[in-house]
Amino acid sequence: MILGVWRERSSCDLIKMKLGILFSGGKDSMYAAYLAKKEGSGRKNKIFSSDSPDSKEGSKSGDYEISCLISIESKNKESYMFHTPSISRVREQARVMGIPLIVVRSKGEKEKELDDLGRAIKKAVRDYKIEGIVSGAVESVYQSSRIQKICNELDVECFNPLWQKGQKDILDELIRNKFEVIVSGVFAYPIDEKWLGRKIDREFVREIVKLNEKYEINVAGEGGEFESFVLNCPLFKKRLKVVDFRDFGEGNSWRREVKVR
Amino acid sequence: MILLINICKEKLHFYEFVKPVGDILVKKKIRGFIRHYTCVTKKDLDKASKVIICGTSLKDDYFVESVERFSWLRDFDRPVLGICGGMQIMGLVFGGKLKKKTEIGYFKENFKKKFLGSKGENEVYHLHNNYIDFSKLDFDDFVEGMVSQAVKHKKKEIYGVLFHPEVRQKELILNFCNLD
């Protein structure tokens, strides 16, 4: 398969498109941000030498600038739309990335939380002049179609660079690209509190793949089986360190609130 | 050798609209190559046994201004599948006009006749602001309803789907690739 080898360089638009990242602090939104940054930097793609748009000979437009991160602080821990992170730790991530953060609070009521998301995107358009949104949606049509509708109404581009990506491929690429990710929540049998704080590494992938075969656990946690938090990645100027944590939950539903610095 | 044509203006859309189709082929060890529509040459077309014109985002309709780049479709003698924006390009090349209709998310569509393996009610993923009315063109319509959702040229192996089969109808893409 000779993928991603464009034959000639098209005329390039030199103006960078300003992007806002729908940001939870977890692996998917961080990896989506990473791909946007990488495509925007003009660096040659190192993730897929054979199946991504070569930066040198890509399509007409292509330079992006991450202008802000957008987080929704939902009161509903069971939100269908949003990963519900501790906003204080997302602030720490934004700080080490050197990117402004917009936080909008939501009661997390089904469908009404979309108004809150719309409000957050409008704020990003107004304050940071963004022209596009990047989400970490992988398989959830519920999530992605709602984001698409809001962006369409607001006349903003919507990018989903992880869309339809293989579950294991995501984890493999995170590891290959030196993302340091820990498990911050577990919500499905047989994953229990012992998985909290665990690093996503080769051993983790081997185990979660086995659980997928036996219990149909989604390898990337797309079904909400687990949540993650990124401590370090190529977008960070400095690695975050867990200085304290508290675990909440019971049975196979646990959440770890970490304090990072 | 399948030629995948990328019609996205934005480079970052590659991951959402072209790579998922390429991944379906790679998994089945189907050989192919990708070109951006602004760079497709006669040599590329000669090399291709089949062509898939992938879709693009809701806002990205720059291809409409460059439909003449696809004029080769009129004389191409091998199978072509147009997905969403790719289907709209096919319609424009064969004389159709763009109409406004926004559909986003899962919709149930009823295939009245077998279309690349799909028959009866199917849940499909839509992501479009426009469509082409193929009813007055030289195409057969395979799905019930006012909006042309799945069509085939009456005399050529040219297929078009308005929905995104890479999300829910991966088999449709493979059936196209395996056409004799």
Side-chain angles (χ1 to χ4, degrees), chain A residues 202-247:
Chain A
R202 296 277 170 222
E203 183 54 35
F204 176 95
V205 175
R206 269 192 293 275
E207 258 185 78
I208 202 91
V209 166
K210 275 185 195 163
L211 292 180
N212 168 269
E213 287 159 7
K214 198 168 175 186
Y215 300 98
E216 295 187 357
I217 295 276
N218 185 299
V219 168
E222 260 289 294
E225 290 88 344
F226 66 89
E227 279 180 5
S228 61
F229 181 74
V230 178
L231 289 175
N232 199 14
C233 75
L235 299 175
F236 285 15
K237 290 171 182 150
K238 182 185 155 232
R239 179 184 180 274
L240 290 172
K241 195 176 166 191
V242 177
V243 290
D244 197 8
F245 65 85
R246 282 179 70 192
D247 295 342

Side-chain angles (χ1 to χ4, degrees), chain A residues 1-3 5-7 10 13 39 45 51-53 59 61 64 148 152 155 157-161, chain B residues 8-16 19 30 32-36 38 44 57 59 106 129 166 170:
Chain A
M1 193 85 179
I2 314 159
L3 289 169
V5 184
W6 312 128
R7 293 184 65 87
S10 310
D13 299 336
E39 289 305 332
N45 189 320
D51 64 350
S52 60
S59 43
S61 166
Y64 308 107
Q148 291 276 9
N152 200 37
D155 199 25
E157 260 294 358
C158 183
F159 296 98
N160 299 286
Chain B
C8 304
K9 178 175 184 286
E10 292 299 334
K11 195 158 62 170
L12 195 50
H13 279 319
F14 168 90
Y15 294 98
E16 186 174 350
K19 190 173 180 305
I30 297 170
F33 62 110
I34 299 175
R35 294 287 182 266
H36 193 260
T38 56
D44 293 328
S57 76
K59 261 176 71 72
Y106 279 145
N129 276 325
E166 68 274 22
K170 295 181 172 64

Side-chain angles (χ1 to χ4, degrees), chain A residues 64-82:
Chain A
Y64 308 107
E65 177 187 306
I66 299 177
S67 297
C68 64
L69 307 173
I70 301 167
S71 286
I72 306 294
E73 188 174 24
S74 178
K75 282 188 177 170
N76 179 7
K77 299 284 182 205
E78 311 299 323
S79 169
Y80 282 85
M81 273 301 286
F82 309 116

Side-chain angles (χ1 to χ4, degrees), chain A residues 97-164:
Chain A
M97 291 165 82
I99 299 173
L101 172 69
I102 291 174
V103 177
V104 166
R105 286 176 179 82
S106 170
K107 286 181 183 167
E109 292 168 14
K110 200 173 177 184
E111 301 301 341
K112 279 188 186 167
E113 59 190 353
L114 300 176
D115 296 337
D116 302 318
L117 178 59
R119 200 155 44 89
I121 296 174
K122 273 186 200 162
K123 186 171 166 54
V125 171
R126 190 184 62 228
D127 295 355
Y128 297 99
K129 309 281 180 279
I130 64 155
E131 299 156 274
I133 285 291
V134 179
S135 97
V138 183
E139 285 177 38
S140 169
V141 166
Y142 180 89
Q143 214 178 32
S144 74
S145 60
R146 280 156 179 78
I147 297 168
Q148 291 276 9
K149 280 177 191 166
I150 292 169
C151 289
N152 200 37
E153 280 165 19
L154 298 177
D155 199 25
V156 166
E157 260 294 358
C158 183
F159 296 98
N160 299 286
L162 306 187
W163 188 236
Q164 300 297 300

